[in-house]
Amino acid sequence: MKITPIILSSVVLMMSVNTAAVADYSGPKIKMKLAHPAPPGSHITVAYKKFADLVKEKSDGKIKVQLFPGSILGSDRVMIEGAQRGTLEIGVSSTPNLASFTPLYQVFDLPYITSPKYQENLYKSLDKGGPLNSYLEKVAHDIALHPIMYAEYGYRNFVSKDRPLNGPDSLSGLKMRTTDSPVDVAVAKSLGANPAPISWGEVYTALQQGTIDAEGNTFDLMYGAKHHENLKYAVTSAHNYGMQVALANKKWWDGLPEEAQQLIEEASQEAVTYQRTVAYPEDQRKSLQGMLDAGVSIHEVTEEELAEYRQLTKPVFDEFAAKLPAELIELVQDTQQ
């Protein structure tokens, strides 16, 4: 089966990507550390490398971003705690892992609250000036942080070691690796799977040893971690969406000159636009093809099967949405049309 990756390109967005300096930056020299969990080669790593390069170029070398990829400074939680304390200027975490700092980021964990079909509408709301951007900026400020970039993570899909996957019935009884997110665990249960929350670094071995026989994650992340070596089947369930959010220490951010803030924001927007329109689609294409070449059978979900997934996970959506502000739910759902 030919699988076409979700290529989220936009002529308007591409036109906005440039490398022009911000009116000849005349502010002070600044050094900042940015730590993130993505491994080498990931489109997420590309996004933050692009950001660092643009900041350096736009400031004529006066502002420098020192990157610490691959969780070398610790887990998502450790990096965000470092940003809160100010021992790290910018930490990066996936949206599910941010739920331990504030449950409001859990809105993106809700099953099928967003769809690849309306992805560019979501981007517009998340970008500077958009309603979701304004709302989430206040959320971050309440936990002593300031949002710098909502880097793409992607949509999670279900995969298995030995069982062909298609509709939700095919997941019944599978030992499914999940994150610690209560939403993630509840989704697995709603589809008849047996959730097994284990850390990301243990998943490869768990698949290999049979401790688990299924998981749900983005194709590119699983392929980059070589999980395909232990997989035979996949389904394009796209059951939830995630981002890798860069969050700065708010006190540090507020102390920067306005000129520096503007430059960093501009570099961030250009970097994430590059990721969305170039790095992410290319990474998706390579990952999908790599999994197919390795013998993984990928079932493209039908509209009927998708409707079943949505119906079975709707109680999970309702349960956790009820714990979140109605305004936040509405802001996300407004992008899905």
Side-chain angles (χ1 to χ4, degrees):
M1 175 183 294
K2 181 181 178 182
I3 303 292
T4 304
I6 303 164
I7 299 180
L8 305 168
S9 60
S10 165
V11 174
V12 175
L13 285 175
M14 287 297 289
M15 287 175 66
S16 71
V17 179
N18 63 77
T19 55
V22 178
D24 297 323
Y25 176 74
S26 59
K29 290 183 177 181
I30 299 168
K31 288 184 179 180
M32 68 185 87
K33 298 185 294 290
L34 185 155
H36 67 83
S42 165
H43 59 87
I44 300 165
T45 300
V46 170
Y48 289 118
K49 175 65 164 60
K50 186 76 170 176
F51 169 68
D53 290 345
L54 285 166
V55 166
K56 182 179 179 180
E57 181 175 349
K58 289 173 177 293
S59 67
D60 196 23
K62 291 182 179 179
I63 305 179
K64 295 180 180 179
V65 182
Q66 186 178 8
L67 298 174
F68 295 88
S71 296
I72 59 177
L73 293 189
S75 66
D76 290 32
R77 183 182 184 88
V78 169
M79 288 184 280
I80 296 303
E81 287 174 345
Q84 283 183 316
R85 289 193 303 265
T87 55
L88 178 65
E89 284 78 20
I90 304 174
V92 177
S93 170
S94 66
T95 38
N97 286 321
L98 283 173
S100 61
F101 294 90
T102 167
L104 299 186
Y105 286 105
Q106 211 169 64
V107 67
F108 297 104
D109 288 350
L110 297 177
Y112 297 105
I113 192 169
T114 63
S115 164
K117 181 179 179 181
Y118 300 107
Q119 197 65 10
E120 291 203 24
N121 291 345
L122 179 63
Y123 289 157
K124 289 175 185 175
S125 187
L126 283 167
D127 290 343
K128 192 70 175 177
L132 261 176
N133 182 284
S134 299
Y135 189 98
L136 292 175
E137 183 173 81
K138 294 175 184 175
V139 170
H141 288 176
D142 286 343
I143 53 173
L145 297 167
H146 179 81
I148 300 295
M149 187 195 303
Y150 297 97
E152 181 76 329
Y153 182 91
Y155 284 86
R156 291 175 174 83
N157 302 286
F158 291 120
V159 297
S160 80
K161 285 185 64 176
D162 303 304
R163 185 189 297 178
L165 300 182
N166 37 68
D169 287 348
S170 64
L171 300 176
S172 181
L174 288 176
K175 292 177 289 185
M176 177 77 67
R177 182 266 173 177
T178 68
T179 66
D180 286 329
S181 164
V183 180
D184 204 14
V185 171
V187 166
K189 287 181 178 178
S190 73
L191 298 172
N194 299 315
I198 60 175
S199 66
W200 174 248
E202 298 173 6
V203 177
Y204 181 93
T205 302
L207 284 168
Q208 195 175 48
Q209 296 178 347
T211 307
I212 57 170
D213 44 29
E215 65 173 308
N217 220 312
T218 62
F219 286 137
D220 57 89
L221 190 64
M222 292 187 288
Y223 182 72
K226 301 188 183 299
H227 289 193
H228 61 283
E229 296 176 353
N230 300 303
L231 300 171
K232 291 183 181 178
Y233 301 99
V235 59
T236 58
S237 53
H239 51 280
N240 76 352
Y241 173 69
M243 291 174 287
Q244 289 282 359
V245 187
L247 294 160
N249 175 272
K250 187 175 186 300
K251 185 177 180 181
W252 170 80
W253 175 261
D254 289 345
L256 293 177
E258 185 177 347
E259 185 181 5
Q261 291 179 345
Q262 179 187 347
L263 185 150
I264 291 168
E265 288 176 344
E266 184 173 313
S268 168
Q269 183 60 56
E270 292 181 19
V272 77
T273 298
Y274 178 84
Q275 182 203 17
R276 293 168 180 169
T277 57
V278 180
Y280 176 63
E282 178 62 13
D283 206 7
Q284 286 290 91
R285 185 192 67 76
K286 288 181 178 178
S287 300
L288 281 165
Q289 192 58 54
M291 292 181 77
L292 290 169
D293 291 345
V296 179
S297 176
I298 303 176
H299 174 75
E300 193 163 11
V301 71
T302 66
E303 287 299 322
E304 292 77 14
E305 290 164 346
L306 184 59
E308 290 178 21
Y309 277 109
R310 287 179 177 274
Q311 180 182 357
L312 288 172
T313 58
K314 182 66 163 53
V316 178
F317 184 106
D318 293 341
E319 176 189 352
F320 288 93
K323 302 174 185 178
L324 297 170
E327 180 187 0
L328 176 57
I329 300 290
E330 206 172 299
L331 285 174
V332 178
Q333 291 180 325
D334 283 348
T335 67
Q336 302 300 294
Q337 53 188 322

